[in-house]
Amino acid sequence: MAHRDTGTGAVLEKMMLPALERGGYSCHAQVRNGTRLGGGTHFVDIVAEKGGQKLLISVKWQQVSGTAEQKVPFEIICLEDALRSGEYQRALVVLGGDGWKLRDFYVAGGLDDYLKLSGKVEVLTLEASIGRANMGKV
C-alpha cells in the first residue's frame, strides 16, 4: 500500500504502528477507505486487525495552534460513515502533540451533545492509545 505525504501526522502514525504490532495487531497504513462525505477519497491512517475485528485509526498531530483542531469533528463523522459498511467494528481518533486547545473536550466526549454518534468512534490521547495498543486492548 502506498504512503501519502501527510506531514507531521506521518510521524505519529509511525509511533502507533510498533505499539499496535506489540499488542498483537496486524496493521496496514494509509488505507483507501472509499469516499468521504461530500466527495473526495477517504484514507484512514491505520487499519489494525486482531481476532477477526478490524479497527480504523485516524491520527491527528497538533504541535502548535492550527487547523487539526477543526478537522476532528469531520474526521469523526467520516469514520462513523465508514463503520456503516460493517467491515469495521470500531474506530479511534488519536490526538498527539501539545498544541491542542480542545483535546480534553474531545477526549471527554464533548462532541456527543452536538453529533449523533454510534459510540463506536473513540477519541484518545497519544499516551492512552499507545498504552492500550501495547497491551493489545485498543
Side-chain angles (χ1 to χ4, degrees), residues 6 11 18-19 31 37-38 47 58 72 76 78 87 114 130 138:
T6 55
V11 174
V31 176
L37 298 171
V47 173
S58 178
V72 172
I76 291 170
C78 290
E87 183 178 352
Y114 304 97
I130 294 287
V138 192

Side-chain angles (χ1 to χ4, degrees), residues 7 12 24 30-31 41 48 61 63 69 71-72 74 77 84 92 94 105 127:
L12 181 54
Q30 293 301 317
V31 176
T41 303
W61 181 260
Q63 191 163 316
E69 202 114 50
K71 295 175 183 177
V72 172
F74 186 63
I77 292 167
R84 290 181 181 175
L92 297 178
V94 176
F105 173 78
E127 296 81 6

Side-chain angles (χ1 to χ4, degrees), residues 43-103:
F43 283 89
V44 68
D45 295 311
I46 301 168
V47 173
E49 186 172 1
K50 181 178 177 180
Q53 301 284 307
K54 285 185 175 180
L55 174 69
L56 298 170
I57 303 173
S58 178
V59 298
K60 299 290 180 201
W61 181 260
Q62 184 81 342
Q63 191 163 316
V64 296
S65 184
T67 62
E69 202 114 50
Q70 299 165 357
K71 295 175 183 177
V72 172
F74 186 63
E75 185 62 21
I76 291 170
I77 292 167
C78 290
L79 291 169
E80 286 277 350
D81 185 58
L83 290 173
R84 290 181 181 175
S85 74
E87 183 178 352
Y88 307 99
Q89 288 67 46
R90 294 184 311 108
L92 297 178
V93 178
V94 176
L95 306 180
D98 291 331
W100 297 94
K101 290 181 184 176
L102 297 174
R103 178 170 44 194

